Amino acid sequence: MSYEAVYNVKTRKKCIALTFDVGWGKKVLTPVLDTLSSHHVYKATFFLSSTWVKERPKLALKVKAKGYEIGSHGHLHENYTEHTNKWISREVKKAESIIKKVTGVKCRLIRTPNGDMDQRVIRLLGRLGYRTIHWKVDSFDWTNPGVENIIRKSSTNVKPGDVILFHASDSARQTAKALPAILRRLRRQGFRFVTISELLSMRVK
C-alpha cells in the first residue's frame, strides 16, 4: 500500500478545508472559534497537540462541542524526521491516548509538528492508521505579518480541494482579526467549507 501526504484533493466540487494547528496558550482559540461561529462556519479541522489538550482540557472540549473535526498534532513539538520510528510511534500513540481520554475522539488524521515529514515518516504514520495532512495554502499567520498580509495569502489563488493552514495558538496573534475578511472573500469566490474527512471523500478517482 502506498501512503502519501495530503496537500489538496482533486475534486469537482468547489470545496476547501480550513485547518487550525493548536499547540499552546489559551487566548487565541476562543476568538477563532467565536469568529467561525459568528460567520456560520461549522466545518473546519483542528489539529491539537496532546500536551496542550492535557493542559487545556476545557478548551479542547470546546472544539469538540462546537462540532469541529479533531486531528492529532502529536505530543512533543519536535521534527519527526530527526527521530527514530520507535520514538515517533511512541509519540503518536501517546497523543492518541491523551486526546481520546479528554475528547472521546480517536484521531485518524495527523499533522506532524512543524509540518516536518518525509516518505519514511508518512509510511510509518500510515501503518499506524493515520492520514498525514499537510497544506496547499499557508496563511503564515504564525509570523504575525499583519492582518492584510494574512488575508491576502489565505484568499488569493485558492483552488477547489485546497487545504488552508492557520494557527489558533497564542503565537498567532492576528488570526482571529484576519478571519472575517478571509471567510467573506472565499465565500464570494464561491467556496464552501468542509472538514478534511469530507474533502477526502470528494476525491475524484
Side-chain angles (χ1 to χ4, degrees), residues 29 49 77 109 133 177 193-194:
L29 180 70
S49 158
H77 206 270
L109 305 172
I133 310 300
K177 292 175 185 173
F193 306 118
V194 297

Side-chain angles (χ1 to χ4, degrees), residues 96-134:
E96 184 177 304
S97 173
I98 292 169
I99 293 170
K100 188 171 191 298
K101 187 175 180 181
V102 173
T103 68
V105 174
K106 184 176 181 179
C107 297
R108 296 292 74 174
L109 305 172
I110 190 167
R111 175 170 285 147
T112 55
N114 300 313
D116 177 75
M117 61 187 182
D118 56 18
Q119 275 308 119
R120 173 182 68 91
V121 170
I122 295 165
R123 278 196 301 271
L124 174 59
L125 294 174
R127 290 197 297 272
L128 291 170
Y130 282 84
R131 295 295 298 271
T132 303
I133 310 300
H134 204 66

Side-chain angles (χ1 to χ4, degrees), residues 43-143:
K43 302 288 184 74
T45 302
F46 285 77
F47 290 95
L48 309 182
S49 158
S50 61
T51 53
W52 177 85
V53 169
K54 199 171 183 179
E55 195 176 321
R56 312 277 182 200
K58 288 182 180 177
L59 286 177
L61 284 170
K62 198 170 182 179
V63 176
K64 168 84 180 303
K66 285 186 172 283
Y68 295 114
E69 183 171 50
I70 291 175
S72 174
H73 197 36
H75 188 64
L76 297 177
H77 206 270
E78 296 183 16
N79 291 338
Y80 283 6
T81 58
E82 297 170 9
H83 288 282
T84 64
N85 285 1
K86 187 176 179 181
W87 185 93
I88 296 168
S89 297
R90 192 169 63 240
E91 284 287 295
V92 170
K93 288 172 183 174
K94 187 172 187 177
E96 184 177 304
S97 173
I98 292 169
I99 293 170
K100 188 171 191 298
K101 187 175 180 181
V102 173
T103 68
V105 174
K106 184 176 181 179
C107 297
R108 296 292 74 174
L109 305 172
I110 190 167
R111 175 170 285 147
T112 55
N114 300 313
D116 177 75
M117 61 187 182
D118 56 18
Q119 275 308 119
R120 173 182 68 91
V121 170
I122 295 165
R123 278 196 301 271
L124 174 59
L125 294 174
R127 290 197 297 272
L128 291 170
Y130 282 84
R131 295 295 298 271
T132 303
I133 310 300
H134 204 66
W135 57 84
K136 188 70 175 180
V137 178
D138 191 343
S139 68
F140 288 97
D141 57 349
W142 61 277
T143 67

Side-chain angles (χ1 to χ4, degrees), residues 34-42 179-181 183-184 187 193:
D34 290 347
T35 301
L36 291 173
S37 294
S38 67
H39 285 78
H40 310 291
V41 177
Y42 306 114
L179 268 177
L183 300 175
R184 285 194 297 269
R187 275 192 168 132
F193 306 118

Side-chain angles (χ1 to χ4, degrees), residues 122-191:
I122 295 165
R123 278 196 301 271
L124 174 59
L125 294 174
R127 290 197 297 272
L128 291 170
Y130 282 84
R131 295 295 298 271
T132 303
I133 310 300
H134 204 66
W135 57 84
K136 188 70 175 180
V137 178
D138 191 343
S139 68
F140 288 97
D141 57 349
W142 61 277
T143 67
N144 298 298
V147 170
E148 286 303 319
N149 278 322
I150 296 172
I151 294 168
R152 181 173 50 78
K153 288 177 185 297
S154 307
S155 58
T156 307
N157 298 321
V158 179
K159 306 286 193 303
D162 280 354
V163 176
I164 305 180
L165 170 68
F166 296 101
H167 295 77
S169 294
D170 282 7
S171 50
R173 298 185 301 275
Q174 299 164 340
T175 306
K177 292 175 185 173
L179 268 177
I182 292 166
L183 300 175
R184 285 194 297 269
R185 284 191 185 192
L186 291 171
R187 275 192 168 132
R188 279 201 302 269
Q189 291 171 39
F191 288 112

